PDB file of all heavy atoms in Angstrom:
ATOM      1  N   VAL A  22       4.501  16.811-125.395  1.00 98.00           N
ATOM      2  CA  VAL A  22       3.320  17.543-124.939  1.00 98.00           C
ATOM      3  C   VAL A  22       3.281  18.823-125.760  1.00 98.00           C
ATOM      4  O   VAL A  22       4.289  19.532-125.861  1.00 98.00           O
ATOM      5  CB  VAL A  22       3.395  17.868-123.431  1.00 98.00           C
ATOM      6  CG1 VAL A  22       2.202  18.711-123.004  1.00 98.00           C
ATOM      7  CG2 VAL A  22       3.471  16.585-122.595  1.00 98.00           C
ATOM      8  N   ARG A  23       2.146  19.127-126.365  1.00 98.00           N
ATOM      9  CA  ARG A  23       2.024  20.313-127.208  1.00 98.00           C
ATOM     10  C   ARG A  23       1.186  21.374-126.493  1.00 98.00           C
ATOM     11  O   ARG A  23       0.186  21.054-125.849  1.00 98.00           O
ATOM     12  CB  ARG A  23       1.386  19.950-128.549  1.00 98.00           C
ATOM     13  CG  ARG A  23       2.219  18.970-129.357  1.00 98.00           C
ATOM     14  CD  ARG A  23       1.526  18.532-130.637  1.00 98.00           C
ATOM     15  NE  ARG A  23       2.298  17.499-131.313  1.00 98.00           N
ATOM     16  CZ  ARG A  23       1.848  16.778-132.344  1.00 98.00           C
ATOM     17  NH1 ARG A  23       0.631  17.001-132.831  1.00 98.00           N
ATOM     18  NH2 ARG A  23       2.609  15.851-132.894  1.00 98.00           N
ATOM     19  N   ARG A  24       1.596  22.634-126.661  1.00 98.00           N
ATOM     20  CA  ARG A  24       0.878  23.758-126.052  1.00 98.00           C
ATOM     21  C   ARG A  24       0.139  24.534-127.142  1.00 98.00           C
ATOM     22  O   ARG A  24       0.737  24.964-128.126  1.00 98.00           O
ATOM     23  CB  ARG A  24       1.846  24.688-125.324  1.00 98.00           C
ATOM     24  CG  ARG A  24       1.146  25.778-124.516  1.00 98.00           C
ATOM     25  CD  ARG A  24       2.122  26.778-123.944  1.00 98.00           C
ATOM     26  NE  ARG A  24       1.474  27.664-122.969  1.00 98.00           N
ATOM     27  CZ  ARG A  24       1.765  28.955-122.806  1.00 98.00           C
ATOM     28  NH1 ARG A  24       2.719  29.518-123.544  1.00 98.00           N
ATOM     29  NH2 ARG A  24       1.130  29.675-121.900  1.00 98.00           N
ATOM     30  N   PHE A  25      -1.173  24.699-126.932  1.00 98.00           N
ATOM     31  CA  PHE A  25      -2.024  25.391-127.893  1.00 98.00           C
ATOM     32  C   PHE A  25      -2.600  26.648-127.252  1.00 98.00           C
ATOM     33  O   PHE A  25      -3.015  26.643-126.088  1.00 98.00           O
ATOM     34  CB  PHE A  25      -3.168  24.491-128.353  1.00 98.00           C
ATOM     35  CG  PHE A  25      -2.717  23.268-129.099  1.00 98.00           C
ATOM     36  CD1 PHE A  25      -2.520  22.064-128.432  1.00 98.00           C
ATOM     37  CD2 PHE A  25      -2.478  23.312-130.464  1.00 98.00           C
ATOM     38  CE1 PHE A  25      -2.105  20.925-129.112  1.00 98.00           C
ATOM     39  CE2 PHE A  25      -2.060  22.181-131.159  1.00 98.00           C
ATOM     40  CZ  PHE A  25      -1.866  20.982-130.482  1.00 98.00           C
ATOM     41  N   GLY A  26      -2.632  27.733-128.018  1.00 98.00           N
ATOM     42  CA  GLY A  26      -3.250  28.951-127.556  1.00 98.00           C
ATOM     43  C   GLY A  26      -4.757  28.843-127.512  1.00 98.00           C
ATOM     44  O   GLY A  26      -5.346  27.908-128.074  1.00 98.00           O
ATOM     45  N   PRO A  27      -5.439  29.784-126.855  1.00 98.00           N
ATOM     46  CA  PRO A  27      -6.902  29.762-126.809  1.00 98.00           C
ATOM     47  C   PRO A  27      -7.554  29.790-128.182  1.00 98.00           C
ATOM     48  O   PRO A  27      -8.711  29.375-128.334  1.00 98.00           O
ATOM     49  CB  PRO A  27      -7.244  31.019-126.007  1.00 98.00           C
ATOM     50  CG  PRO A  27      -6.042  31.272-125.157  1.00 98.00           C
ATOM     51  CD  PRO A  27      -4.873  30.868-126.003  1.00 98.00           C
ATOM     52  N   ASP A  28      -6.818  30.253-129.198  1.00 97.00           N
ATOM     53  CA  ASP A  28      -7.342  30.256-130.567  1.00 97.00           C
ATOM     54  C   ASP A  28      -7.021  28.971-131.318  1.00 97.00           C
ATOM     55  O   ASP A  28      -7.334  28.838-132.506  1.00 97.00           O
ATOM     56  CB  ASP A  28      -6.803  31.454-131.342  1.00 97.00           C
ATOM     57  CG  ASP A  28      -5.270  31.421-131.495  1.00 97.00           C
ATOM     58  OD1 ASP A  28      -4.617  30.530-130.906  1.00 97.00           O
ATOM     59  OD2 ASP A  28      -4.726  32.306-132.196  1.00 97.00           O
ATOM     60  N   GLY A  29      -6.389  27.995-130.640  1.00 97.00           N
ATOM     61  CA  GLY A  29      -6.053  26.727-131.273  1.00 97.00           C
ATOM     62  C   GLY A  29      -4.712  26.689-131.967  1.00 97.00           C
ATOM     63  O   GLY A  29      -4.328  25.645-132.516  1.00 97.00           O
ATOM     64  N   SER A  30      -3.953  27.777-131.939  1.00 97.00           N
ATOM     65  CA  SER A  30      -2.648  27.795-132.601  1.00 97.00           C
ATOM     66  C   SER A  30      -1.617  27.039-131.765  1.00 97.00           C
ATOM     67  O   SER A  30      -1.620  27.107-130.532  1.00 97.00           O
ATOM     68  CB  SER A  30      -2.182  29.234-132.811  1.00 97.00           C
ATOM     69  OG  SER A  30      -2.114  29.926-131.578  1.00 97.00           O
ATOM     70  N   LEU A  31      -0.743  26.309-132.431  1.00 97.00           N
ATOM     71  CA  LEU A  31       0.339  25.594-131.761  1.00 97.00           C
ATOM     72  C   LEU A  31       1.450  26.588-131.444  1.00 97.00           C
ATOM     73  O   LEU A  31       2.037  27.183-132.354  1.00 97.00           O
ATOM     74  CB  LEU A  31       0.861  24.469-132.653  1.00 97.00           C
ATOM     75  CG  LEU A  31       2.027  23.644-132.108  1.00 97.00           C
ATOM     76  CD1 LEU A  31       1.650  22.920-130.816  1.00 97.00           C
ATOM     77  CD2 LEU A  31       2.496  22.634-133.164  1.00 97.00           C
ATOM     78  N   VAL A  32       1.752  26.770-130.157  1.00 97.00           N
ATOM     79  CA  VAL A  32       2.703  27.815-129.764  1.00 97.00           C
ATOM     80  C   VAL A  32       3.927  27.267-129.030  1.00 97.00           C
ATOM     81  O   VAL A  32       4.870  28.023-128.756  1.00 97.00           O
ATOM     82  CB  VAL A  32       2.014  28.878-128.888  1.00 97.00           C
ATOM     83  CG1 VAL A  32       0.924  29.584-129.657  1.00 97.00           C
ATOM     84  CG2 VAL A  32       1.442  28.251-127.602  1.00 97.00           C
ATOM     85  N   GLY A  33       3.957  25.995-128.709  1.00 97.00           N
ATOM     86  CA  GLY A  33       5.099  25.443-127.999  1.00 97.00           C
ATOM     87  C   GLY A  33       4.931  23.961-127.766  1.00 97.00           C
ATOM     88  O   GLY A  33       3.881  23.377-128.060  1.00 97.00           O
ATOM     89  N   SER A  34       5.988  23.336-127.227  1.00 98.00           N
ATOM     90  CA  SER A  34       5.934  21.902-126.964  1.00 98.00           C
ATOM     91  C   SER A  34       7.015  21.512-125.968  1.00 98.00           C
ATOM     92  O   SER A  34       7.958  22.267-125.712  1.00 98.00           O
ATOM     93  CB  SER A  34       6.102  21.101-128.263  1.00 98.00           C
ATOM     94  OG  SER A  34       7.390  21.318-128.823  1.00 98.00           O
ATOM     95  N   VAL A  35       6.853  20.328-125.417  1.00 98.00           N
ATOM     96  CA  VAL A  35       7.864  19.697-124.571  1.00 98.00           C
ATOM     97  C   VAL A  35       8.269  18.410-125.264  1.00 98.00           C
ATOM     98  O   VAL A  35       7.404  17.594-125.629  1.00 98.00           O
ATOM     99  CB  VAL A  35       7.324  19.383-123.161  1.00 98.00           C
ATOM    100  CG1 VAL A  35       8.420  18.763-122.296  1.00 98.00           C
ATOM    101  CG2 VAL A  35       6.747  20.627-122.498  1.00 98.00           C
ATOM    102  N   ALA A  36       9.555  18.212-125.484  1.00 98.00           N
ATOM    103  CA  ALA A  36      10.056  16.986-126.108  1.00 98.00           C
ATOM    104  C   ALA A  36      10.395  15.965-125.035  1.00 98.00           C
ATOM    105  O   ALA A  36      11.034  16.290-124.031  1.00 98.00           O
ATOM    106  CB  ALA A  36      11.283  17.286-126.955  1.00 98.00           C
ATOM    107  N   LEU A  37       9.949  14.740-125.230  1.00 98.00           N
ATOM    108  CA  LEU A  37      10.213  13.635-124.311  1.00 98.00           C
ATOM    109  C   LEU A  37      11.027  12.558-125.006  1.00 98.00           C
ATOM    110  O   LEU A  37      10.946  12.402-126.223  1.00 98.00           O
ATOM    111  CB  LEU A  37       8.897  13.034-123.813  1.00 98.00           C
ATOM    112  CG  LEU A  37       8.071  13.761-122.740  1.00 98.00           C
ATOM    113  CD1 LEU A  37       8.886  13.989-121.476  1.00 98.00           C
ATOM    114  CD2 LEU A  37       7.475  15.036-123.247  1.00 98.00           C
ATOM    115  N   PRO A  38      11.808  11.775-124.245  1.00 97.00           N
ATOM    116  CA  PRO A  38      12.658  10.756-124.865  1.00 97.00           C
ATOM    117  C   PRO A  38      11.966   9.411-125.087  1.00 97.00           C
ATOM    118  O   PRO A  38      12.623   8.445-125.488  1.00 97.00           O
ATOM    119  CB  PRO A  38      13.794  10.616-123.851  1.00 97.00           C
ATOM    120  CG  PRO A  38      13.134  10.890-122.538  1.00 97.00           C
ATOM    121  CD  PRO A  38      12.110  11.959-122.810  1.00 97.00           C
ATOM    122  N   THR A  39      10.678   9.343-124.842  1.00 98.00           N
ATOM    123  CA  THR A  39       9.927   8.095-125.013  1.00 98.00           C
ATOM    124  C   THR A  39       8.600   8.437-125.681  1.00 98.00           C
ATOM    125  O   THR A  39       8.075   9.543-125.484  1.00 98.00           O
ATOM    126  CB  THR A  39       9.725   7.401-123.644  1.00 98.00           C
ATOM    127  OG1 THR A  39       9.193   6.087-123.842  1.00 98.00           O
ATOM    128  CG2 THR A  39       8.799   8.194-122.737  1.00 98.00           C
ATOM    129  N   PRO A  40       8.029   7.551-126.491  1.00 97.00           N
ATOM    130  CA  PRO A  40       6.904   7.972-127.336  1.00 97.00           C
ATOM    131  C   PRO A  40       5.544   8.058-126.653  1.00 97.00           C
ATOM    132  O   PRO A  40       4.738   8.915-127.000  1.00 97.00           O
ATOM    133  CB  PRO A  40       6.881   6.905-128.439  1.00 97.00           C
ATOM    134  CG  PRO A  40       7.507   5.700-127.822  1.00 97.00           C
ATOM    135  CD  PRO A  40       8.559   6.226-126.901  1.00 97.00           C
ATOM    136  N   HIS A  41       5.277   7.172-125.690  1.00 98.00           N
ATOM    137  CA  HIS A  41       3.908   7.058-125.193  1.00 98.00           C
ATOM    138  C   HIS A  41       3.701   7.961-123.979  1.00 98.00           C
ATOM    139  O   HIS A  41       3.866   7.563-122.832  1.00 98.00           O
ATOM    140  CB  HIS A  41       3.563   5.602-124.896  1.00 98.00           C
ATOM    141  CG  HIS A  41       3.433   4.785-126.141  1.00 98.00           C
ATOM    142  ND1 HIS A  41       3.319   3.416-126.148  1.00 98.00           N
ATOM    143  CD2 HIS A  41       3.395   5.162-127.457  1.00 98.00           C
ATOM    144  CE1 HIS A  41       3.229   2.980-127.391  1.00 98.00           C
ATOM    145  NE2 HIS A  41       3.273   4.028-128.201  1.00 98.00           N
ATOM    146  N   ILE A  42       3.329   9.203-124.278  1.00 98.00           N
ATOM    147  CA  ILE A  42       3.139  10.249-123.274  1.00 98.00           C
ATOM    148  C   ILE A  42       1.648  10.336-122.971  1.00 98.00           C
ATOM    149  O   ILE A  42       0.820  10.399-123.890  1.00 98.00           O
ATOM    150  CB  ILE A  42       3.677  11.594-123.790  1.00 98.00           C
ATOM    151  CG1 ILE A  42       5.131  11.428-124.261  1.00 98.00           C
ATOM    152  CG2 ILE A  42       3.559  12.665-122.728  1.00 98.00           C
ATOM    153  CD1 ILE A  42       6.065  10.836-123.227  1.00 98.00           C
ATOM    154  N   THR A  43       1.298  10.349-121.683  1.00 98.00           N
ATOM    155  CA  THR A  43      -0.102  10.171-121.318  1.00 98.00           C
ATOM    156  C   THR A  43      -0.787  11.399-120.736  1.00 98.00           C
ATOM    157  O   THR A  43      -1.940  11.668-121.054  1.00 98.00           O
ATOM    158  CB  THR A  43      -0.258   9.001-120.340  1.00 98.00           C
ATOM    159  OG1 THR A  43       0.590   9.230-119.200  1.00 98.00           O
ATOM    160  CG2 THR A  43       0.120   7.682-121.002  1.00 98.00           C
ATOM    161  N   CYS A  44      -0.102  12.170-119.859  1.00 98.00           N
ATOM    162  CA  CYS A  44      -0.806  13.300-119.259  1.00 98.00           C
ATOM    163  C   CYS A  44       0.160  14.270-118.586  1.00 98.00           C
ATOM    164  O   CYS A  44       1.089  13.836-117.897  1.00 98.00           O
ATOM    165  CB  CYS A  44      -1.819  12.806-118.227  1.00 98.00           C
ATOM    166  SG  CYS A  44      -3.023  14.068-117.734  1.00 98.00           S
ATOM    167  N   PRO A  45      -0.060  15.584-118.754  1.00 98.00           N
ATOM    168  CA  PRO A  45       0.707  16.593-118.016  1.00 98.00           C
ATOM    169  C   PRO A  45      -0.108  17.154-116.854  1.00 98.00           C
ATOM    170  O   PRO A  45      -1.346  17.148-116.876  1.00 98.00           O
ATOM    171  CB  PRO A  45       0.929  17.672-119.076  1.00 98.00           C
ATOM    172  CG  PRO A  45      -0.329  17.632-119.901  1.00 98.00           C
ATOM    173  CD  PRO A  45      -0.838  16.211-119.846  1.00 98.00           C
TER     174      PRO A  45
END
């Protein structure tokens, strides 16, 4: 899961152990 700032910049993420991530 990737976290984007209001300006669209990538500022963080959550790493998961499986590839098909659907919704936070």
Side-chain angles (χ1 to χ4, degrees):
V22 176
R23 298 175 185 169
R24 187 187 191 216
F25 296 94
D28 63 354
S30 58
L31 178 62
V32 297
S34 64
V35 182
L37 284 302
T39 190
H41 290 170
I42 307 305
T43 56
C44 195

